[in-house]
Structures are given as structure tokens and as C-alpha cells.
Amino acid sequence: MFDQVLEGFDDQLVIAKEVEVYNIGSAQQSERMSDRVWRPMPYIAVTYDGFDQSSNFGDITQLSVPAIVGQHKVAPGKMTSKDLRDPQQLQRYGTAAKQKLSSDINYAIYQAVANQGSVVSKRTVAATGFDDVALIDAQLTELGVPLADRKVFYSPRDYNSMASTIAKPQTTAAGKAMTAYERAVIGNVAGIDVFKNDQFITLTAAAASGVQIDGANQRYVPASVTTDANGNTTNVDNRYQTIAVTVTSGTMKVGDAFTIAGVNAVHPITKISTGQLKTFRIVELVTGSGGSGTIKITPPIIAADSSPTRAELQYKNVTAAPANDANIVFLNTVTAAVNPFFVKPAVELLPGTFAVDPQDGWQVLRATTDMGVGITYARQGEINDLTVKYRWDVDFGVTVLNTEMSGVQIFSQS
């Protein structure tokens, strides 16, 4: 029964198969590290003109991101001795557990990108097909995101709306049109693998108005480590920044997407302006409960426009820091499903471990799928009433390593 349930588990990890899988080490190493490891982000070099570089040698800032195994999902159940007369009972529940646990892993990845992906693709119309995916391609390419392994996951209604347009032979190659018509399958569009997902997250419309930057020079300086009062150093998570804002009416909320007047995105390598406003997401309300106060955003504002450090030159992502009273314009103006997209190396699934010893009084079966996800089945009988308790467990974590290589597309925005 266990082997039959285990078979096909990876096949149901539709989203998980499209991200990187990282093993943080042995069970003992994971325990000693508290299921946390710092993952390095790619270096970005700095170049200067001329032969004489005597004043340009400096330390390189290596950024890293904390990757945490922090989710544990369980499908428990109990059966009586009467139920167990049918051996298919456990088999059917095991199949149901497989479906739910794989769905939990998929949803965790979906949710992580939906909440933290900072590249926001706003469409003022309903999903139409090629133009939607092509816009994502343009935004990612402008930001220097690698061309290979780009993925986008659409909600069922948005996906089918796109398939409806692609299914028309007068606008699409015959083969792709027929596939879209017969199976509502889109495939690869504009160099991006397009998937339909059976679950989705709704981003409600932004409710705050008259939102402005409260104070000039709110720029971020990347750092590898920080030092406490005792001289001890620890790594720094450079994906976020806290900024101060004022709100005229309404409240902001986690998930809101916005641009800032005068703050354009730059290509990470060339540092040349894309001519497009940089998009940001609110990941936490720090003070003010959604009104005037401070919010945590991603990505940070790295402008390198005022006596910049070498780290700012390395990781510059915008043309300028926002001016005092610069207007914030929200992009999520209409409640809609969010459709996450990312490049594969930007998102990681981390399989976890935990100890279950049969000597403690239960029967245990454990296995690891080809993707590295560990599945544990434990069973224990109760002699008082001849019932059997059982549970299926998975342990894992999800990390968005680079929020600027992932994002969301939203449709029918005003």
C-alpha cells in the first residue's frame, strides 16, 4: 500500500517540478543549523574606465538569503477494525493523502511567489494570450533575468481565456491552435513555459489613496553582514527594506503592488534605465496598521545616486532614490487572481527531515521521492477499542531567493 501511494507522488508536484530543489544537509546537520541555511545570491561586478584603477580596488559584497525548512504538513486519520476489513480503505485514504500533501507543496510555492514576487505585470484587459505572456517576457528581459527556464502559472479562468484566443486559427499557428482548441493547452509562449494551476490566490484592490514617500534619501545600502554590540557578525537578508510613507485616506495592506514617481528600473548589469517605473510589493506593515507609518517592501531601493558605496554600485536597481512626497501609485486597482511567474533558479524547494523511531511504539515506513521529498507513514493501534491511527507527513520549506526574478500578472485592472 505504501509503495502504491508513493508511486506518482512527484507527478503531482506540478509547480514543485519547475523550481530548484536544494538539500540543506543531513538530518543531524539540519538539526544543528535549526533547519536554516544561508544561500548565496549571484555576484554582480562593477567596471570602470581607463587603465589606471589604483583608486577603484575594493571589497566585494556577497549577498545571501536565508533558506528555511519551516513547513510540516500531515494527513492524519483513524479507522476501526470494521473499516479495516476492506484493505482498500487504507489504499484510498493514502491516495487522498498523496493528493492533498502534493497540493500543499504546490500551493506553498505558489503562495511564496504570489506574495513576494516584485515584478508586477499589470494588464488593463482580460487575459488574451500572446500579448500577456510577451509582456512578462519583456519585463524579465529588461531586468536581465536569464532567458531559460522561465515559468508562469495561470488561474483556470485566466488560462482558459488565453487558450480561447490562441485556439483561433486566424491568429495562431495551426498546430498550437488545434491543441488550444481540443485540450485548452497553451504550452510555451514567448519563450515562457505556461501552465494551468487548479488553485489561485486573489489580490484585493488597493484601498489606500494619496500615499506619498515620507522623507527624502530613503535608499538602501546592501551589506553582507551586520555586527552586534558584542562584535558578533551575522548575515543580512537584503531582499527587503523598510520605508516611511504618509497616507491621506484608506489603508495599505500586505500584497499591494506599486510604483514610485521618478524611480525607474535599471538593467542589473549595464545599470542603464529601462525607461519603466520600478515595481514594488508590500510584504509587511511595520507601523501605522496600514495608515501613515512604515512598511517593509521588496525589492529594496538601491539607487547609488549619492556618494555610493561599492555595494550600491554593484547592486543598483533603480535610477534614483525617491524624493520627499513622491507619489506612490498602486497597480492592483481591481480585485483579481494573481498569476505567479519566475525563472527556475529564483525559487527553491527545501526537503526537510524529522526523526520517527519505530522503537517508540509505532510502525513506520519512510521513503524519499526522486525529487528528494521525504514521505513518512506512521501507524499505531489502540487496544482499548481496536482502532488504528495513522498519518502521512512531509516536511519542507520554500524560499524565493530573488524577488526581482519573480512576479505576478494581474488582469482587468483600471
Side-chain angles (χ1 to χ4, degrees):
M1 183 274 295
F2 179 76
D3 292 339
Q4 290 175 355
V5 171
L6 187 68
E7 183 180 353
F9 188 88
D10 282 349
D11 293 338
Q12 299 193 40
L13 297 177
V14 178
I15 302 180
K17 287 192 293 186
E18 304 305 324
V19 305
E20 297 288 355
V21 178
Y22 181 77
N23 193 325
I24 66 173
S26 67
Q28 185 181 57
Q29 289 172 324
S30 298
E31 193 280 331
R32 292 178 177 177
M33 296 186 300
S34 298
D35 287 320
R36 176 191 294 258
V37 63
W38 286 86
R39 302 282 290 122
M41 295 180 67
Y43 275 121
I44 298 179
V46 181
T47 58
Y48 301 89
D49 294 327
F51 282 96
D52 185 2
Q53 297 296 316
S54 55
S55 61
N56 296 328
F57 291 94
D59 293 335
I60 299 295
T61 301
Q62 169 67 76
L63 304 186
S64 57
V65 172
I68 304 169
V69 176
Q71 301 196 47
H72 190 97
K73 297 292 185 179
V74 186
K78 184 170 75 170
M79 290 189 181
T80 68
S81 57
K82 292 284 190 178
D83 296 330
L84 292 172
R85 290 177 298 178
D86 180 2
Q88 291 298 313
Q89 288 278 25
L90 277 178
Q91 171 70 40
R92 291 202 299 268
Y93 188 85
T95 299
K98 173 175 64 177
Q99 293 172 336
K100 184 59 172 71
L101 292 173
S102 60
S103 177
D104 288 341
I105 296 174
N106 285 327
Y107 185 74
I109 299 171
Y110 194 93
Q111 186 178 45
V113 179
N115 292 339
Q116 298 188 61
S118 70
V119 183
V120 182
S121 180
K122 174 181 175 178
R123 300 287 286 155
T124 58
V125 297
T128 60
F130 177 82
D131 290 346
D132 307 320
V133 187
L135 178 59
I136 295 174
D137 171 70
Q139 289 178 283
L140 293 179
T141 302
E142 289 171 347
L143 297 176
V145 176
L147 296 175
D149 290 326
R150 295 178 178 182
K151 321 288 180 180
V152 58
F153 289 84
Y154 284 104
S155 66
R157 292 179 183 271
D158 288 338
Y159 186 97
N160 287 346
S161 292
M162 298 172 70
S164 175
T165 301
I166 292 174
K168 298 172 183 176
Q170 65 269 30
T171 60
T172 312
K176 185 172 283 291
M178 185 59 67
T179 303
Y181 182 83
E182 291 181 342
R183 302 180 182 179
V185 173
I186 296 175
N188 188 288
V189 176
I192 300 177
D193 294 326
V194 181
F195 299 88
K196 182 194 297 186
N197 193 40
D198 63 353
Q199 52 197 355
F200 64 93
I201 296 172
T202 298
L203 178 60
T204 57
S209 61
V211 183
Q212 295 181 320
I213 294 293
D214 186 15
N217 300 317
Q218 295 196 60
R219 56 173 52 81
Y220 185 84
V221 180
S224 298
V225 296
T226 185
T227 305
D228 63 20
N230 297 319
N232 301 309
T233 60
T234 185
N235 290 0
V236 176
D237 187 350
N238 290 271
R239 294 174 296 176
Y240 313 107
Q241 177 188 6
T242 299
I243 63 171
V245 298
T246 57
V247 178
T248 301
S249 64
T251 57
M252 300 173 294
K253 67 180 185 305
V254 172
D256 280 345
F258 63 92
T259 59
I260 307 173
V263 181
N264 282 2
V266 303
H267 189 285
I269 306 299
T270 66
K271 309 305 182 187
I272 296 174
S273 173
T274 65
Q276 305 295 322
L277 291 172
K278 185 75 171 176
T279 58
F280 301 89
R281 301 290 301 281
I282 299 176
V283 296
E284 182 182 342
L285 302 176
V286 182
T287 64
S289 299
S292 297
T294 56
I295 56 176
K296 182 181 289 187
I297 65 171
T298 188
I301 302 168
I302 308 174
D305 59 352
S306 178
S307 301
T309 64
R310 187 183 182 93
E312 289 175 277
L313 293 173
Q314 274 185 258
Y315 298 104
K316 176 179 179 177
N317 63 0
V318 295
T319 52
N324 182 39
D325 294 335
N327 290 325
I328 286 178
V329 177
F330 290 101
L331 302 175
N332 53 309
T333 55
V334 176
T335 298
V338 293
N339 301 289
F341 58 85
F342 53 88
V343 64
K344 188 172 184 177
V347 185
E348 285 187 344
L349 171 67
L350 294 85
T353 58
F354 58 99
V356 181
D357 193 333
Q359 295 186 55
D360 292 328
W362 40 61
Q363 292 179 303
V364 179
L365 290 172
R366 306 194 69 169
T368 301
T369 71
D370 291 340
M371 283 184 57
V373 178
I375 302 175
T376 299
Y377 171 68
R379 173 175 169 169
Q380 186 178 48
E382 173 56 66
I383 196 170
N384 290 337
D385 58 7
L386 297 182
T387 58
V388 173
K389 291 181 179 179
Y390 50 88
R391 53 188 289 168
W392 297 83
D393 291 59
V394 293
D395 198 65
F396 65 96
V398 177
T399 301
V400 180
L401 296 178
N402 193 328
T403 64
E404 294 179 88
M405 291 186 175
S406 59
V408 296
Q409 187 166 65
I410 46 179
F411 292 101
S412 303
Q413 303 300 300
S414 59

